[in-house]
Amino acid sequence: QVQLVESGGGLVQAGGSLRLTCAASGRTFGSTIIGWFRQAPGKEREFVAAITWSRGATYYADSMKGRFTISRDNAKNMVYLQMNSLKPEDTAVYYCAAGSLIRTISKADDYAFWGRGTQVTVSS
């Protein structure tokens, strides 16, 4: 079992930045992948970024490259999502997810564990 708790969401103006944090506890293995997803009202859950727990390899949705950066601190069991140049369309609930048997990094169904999410609102 892996427990995930997100924090760092809030209200920010367009062009601003936020850093989200995902605190992981429980059994994380070398094969664990931590991902960030987001879901806006009336829309499907969308892949944002992911990182492998062991090597720190990173993956991004094409639309997030260059603006978002995912990183991890293994000693603290934390994963971060630095979001810059935020746009109103980035407004969503952001979720942290984890899994060890992931075939498709961007597929939400492949992740076994989920946090409750943190709201990010970007005003224009």
Side-chain angles (χ1 to χ4, degrees):
Q1 290 284 339
V2 178
Q3 294 78 42
L4 304 168
V5 179
E6 304 94 336
S7 62
L11 174 64
V12 64
Q13 289 188 334
S17 299
L18 281 175
R19 188 177 81 157
L20 305 183
T21 297
C22 174
S25 59
R27 303 181 68 185
T28 54
F29 300 99
S31 59
T32 297
I33 294 174
I34 305 290
W36 284 98
F37 291 77
R38 69 185 186 184
Q39 188 165 19
K43 295 187 176 181
E44 293 188 354
R45 196 162 293 191
E46 176 185 25
F47 172 72
V48 175
I51 189 166
T52 62
W53 195 252
S54 57
R55 295 188 300 113
T58 58
Y59 306 85
Y60 296 93
D62 288 342
S63 59
M64 318 298 174
K65 289 180 181 178
R67 295 193 303 127
F68 291 5
T69 302
I70 189 170
S71 61
R72 87 221 190 284
D73 185 333
N74 288 28
K76 295 182 179 180
N77 279 1
M78 298 283 197
V79 174
Y80 307 101
L81 183 68
Q82 177 67 42
M83 305 187 295
N84 299 325
S85 302
L86 284 163
K87 306 173 183 179
E89 50 264 43
D90 293 318
T91 294
V93 177
Y94 283 71
Y95 296 91
C96 180
S100 296
L101 300 174
I102 295 174
R103 299 183 64 181
T104 305
I105 293 283
S106 60
K107 187 177 179 183
D109 289 346
D110 282 6
Y111 291 77
F113 306 101
W114 289 82
R116 294 187 175 183
T118 185
Q119 176 71 47
V120 171
T121 303
V122 184
S123 63
S124 57

